[in-house]
Amino acid sequence: MRFSLTLAASLALSAVQASPLVKRDGPVKTPTVNDAIILNYALTLEYLERKFYQEGLANYTRGQFVEAGFEDPFYDNLKEIYFDEQTHVSFISDALKAAGVTPTVELKYTFGTTNPLQFVTLSSVLEGVGVSAYTGAAKDIVNKDYLTAAGSILAVEARHTSYIRASLGESPFPNPFDTPLGYNKVFSLAAPFITGGSSPVTLPFQAFPTLTLQCSQYYYEADRSSVTFSGAFKAAQKFGVTKDTPIYAVFFSGLKKLPVQVRITAGNAGDYKIDKIPAGAVGQVYVVLSKSDTDFSDEKVIAGPAILEVYNKGRVPSTPKAKCH
C-alpha cells in the first residue's frame, strides 16, 4: 500500500498553483519576525491542517479508508488528529487575542486529492512540513511561555507524522533529527493550497519560484539516485542565471544541508540534473536550487523547495513505486 510521497506532493501542488497568495516576482529576502508574526504564521498552518482533515473526513467514509487498506481504528484516529488541529487553532487564536494581536482567519483551500490513499499520503507530507515549520521557528520565539506551548504542539504534530507514515508502510522516524525550515520555504510549500479568502493579517513572507521534479519510475535512494529538475535552468535564466553560473541543489535533511552542483541536461528542455542524491539525505527531504554551496540564506535561493521521500542506500521498498502520470 504505497503512493509515492514525492508524487503526492507534486500532484497536489500542481493542482493548486493558481494560489492568489503566491507572488514570485523579484528577489526573496529573509523576513524579520517577532512573536506575534510567528504565532500568526503557526495559526495559518493550523487552519490549513484543520481544513484538510475536516474535508478528508467529510469526503471519504470509514469504509473507503478500510477498502484502501487503512483498517480500524485508523478512521477514528484521523478524527483525533482533526480534534488536535482544531484545538491548536483555538489555542493560538486565543493567545493572540490575549496579547492584543489580531489573529488571522480561515481561508479557502484546495488540496487536490481524489481518494483515501492520496489523502493519507498528502497528510504525511503536510504533517512533515508542519513539524519543520515549528522546528525552524523555535529559535526566534522570545516569550518563553510561547516557546513552551510551541514545543508542546510540535511534539503532537511529530506524533501525527509518525503515525501517518507508519500507516503508509514508511519508517515512522527515518531520521534522528527533524528538519527545520525557514519561513519563506514553508510559505512556498503551504501557500499554493490557499486558493481564496481574505485575512486581516499580512505576513512578511514570500514564495520562491516553483521547483518541479521530473517524475522518476524508481524510489529515491541516497548516494545512488539521480534527480532532474524540469525546466529549472530555463526558468532561472529569467533571474539572470547563465550556463556559466554555478548552481547547487541543496538538500535539507535533519540538521544537515547537503549541496550538490547541478549540470544542464542536453537538448532544449532547459533542465538541471544531479547524478546522485547525497549520502545523509533520508526521509522527507527538501531541496532548493541555490547560487551558493556555503551560504544557505533565502537570498541565495532561486527555486524551491521541492519534496522528496529518500531512502537509505539499499533500503528501498520491495513494492512497486506508483507510476508517473
Side-chain angles (χ1 to χ4, degrees):
M1 180 181 59
R2 267 194 170 86
F3 182 78
S4 166
L5 297 180
T6 303
L7 185 57
S10 62
L11 283 177
L13 288 171
S14 66
V16 293
Q17 280 301 320
S19 169
L21 295 190
V22 177
K23 304 291 189 289
R24 294 191 170 90
D25 297 326
V28 174
K29 298 180 180 180
T30 302
T32 300
V33 299
N34 55 36
D35 283 357
I37 290 171
I38 294 170
L39 289 181
N40 263 314
Y41 164 73
L43 183 57
T44 299
L45 300 175
E46 295 293 350
Y47 269 125
L48 187 151
E49 288 186 316
R50 182 182 76 170
K51 191 64 174 180
F52 174 74
Y53 288 107
Q54 183 183 63
E55 287 191 0
L57 290 166
N59 291 341
Y60 310 116
T61 66
R62 180 191 301 271
Q64 287 175 307
F65 278 105
V66 171
E67 186 177 347
F70 301 100
E71 301 289 344
D72 285 339
F74 184 81
Y75 188 79
D76 290 329
N77 286 335
L78 284 184
K79 289 182 178 180
E80 288 293 331
I81 294 176
Y82 168 65
F83 173 79
D84 290 346
E85 308 300 357
Q86 172 120 332
T87 303
H88 295 165
V89 165
S90 299
F91 179 84
I92 298 172
S93 183
D94 288 346
L96 283 162
K97 291 174 184 176
V101 178
T102 301
T104 192
V105 297
E106 182 176 284
L107 300 173
K108 296 180 180 178
Y109 312 90
T110 300
F111 298 105
T113 69
T114 59
N115 60 60
L117 181 54
Q118 287 185 7
F119 170 81
V120 177
T121 308
L122 183 56
S123 167
S124 178
V125 172
L126 292 179
E127 292 286 358
V129 172
V131 169
S132 291
Y134 276 100
T135 306
K139 62 181 174 54
D140 296 323
I141 299 174
V142 175
N143 184 299
K144 299 306 179 187
D145 290 335
Y146 294 162
L147 180 59
T148 299
S152 181
I153 293 173
L154 167 60
V156 173
E157 298 290 354
R159 291 190 190 100
H160 294 171
T161 302
S162 293
Y163 177 72
I164 295 295
R165 287 182 61 88
S167 299
L168 289 164
E170 303 290 352
S171 169
F173 27 73
N175 196 314
F177 297 97
D178 280 317
T179 305
L181 279 185
Y183 304 99
N184 288 327
K185 293 181 179 68
V186 171
F187 180 75
S188 299
L189 293 168
F193 294 102
I194 304 172
T195 53
S198 177
S199 171
V201 177
T202 300
L203 295 173
F205 307 135
Q206 300 169 274
F208 297 105
T210 303
L211 181 60
T212 302
L213 305 180
Q214 184 180 94
C215 187
S216 172
Q217 62 179 314
Y218 304 107
Y219 291 106
Y220 286 119
E221 193 172 355
D223 200 30
R224 177 170 290 173
S225 298
S226 63
V227 181
T228 299
F229 305 97
S230 299
F233 171 60
K234 186 177 292 185
Q237 289 176 296
K238 300 175 184 177
F239 299 94
V241 172
T242 72
K243 62 181 178 62
D244 297 318
T245 307
I247 298 295
Y248 303 87
V250 182
F251 293 82
F252 294 78
S253 179
L255 300 180
K256 297 176 181 178
K257 301 176 180 69
L258 304 166
V260 181
Q261 187 163 359
V262 302
R263 59 182 174 83
I264 303 169
T265 60
N268 298 317
D271 298 340
Y272 278 132
K273 184 173 183 176
I274 63 165
D275 293 320
K276 283 198 300 186
I277 295 173
V282 63
Q284 182 162 310
V285 175
Y286 308 94
V287 59
V288 301
L289 295 182
S290 173
K291 291 183 177 180
S292 176
D293 62 344
T294 56
D295 179 354
F296 304 114
S297 65
D298 287 351
E299 286 75 8
K300 298 296 184 181
V301 174
I302 64 170
I307 301 175
L308 309 83
E309 182 68 20
V310 181
Y311 299 88
N312 285 317
K313 190 172 185 179
R315 300 292 298 276
V316 298
S318 58
T319 53
K321 182 179 176 291
K323 294 181 179 179
C324 296
H325 294 274

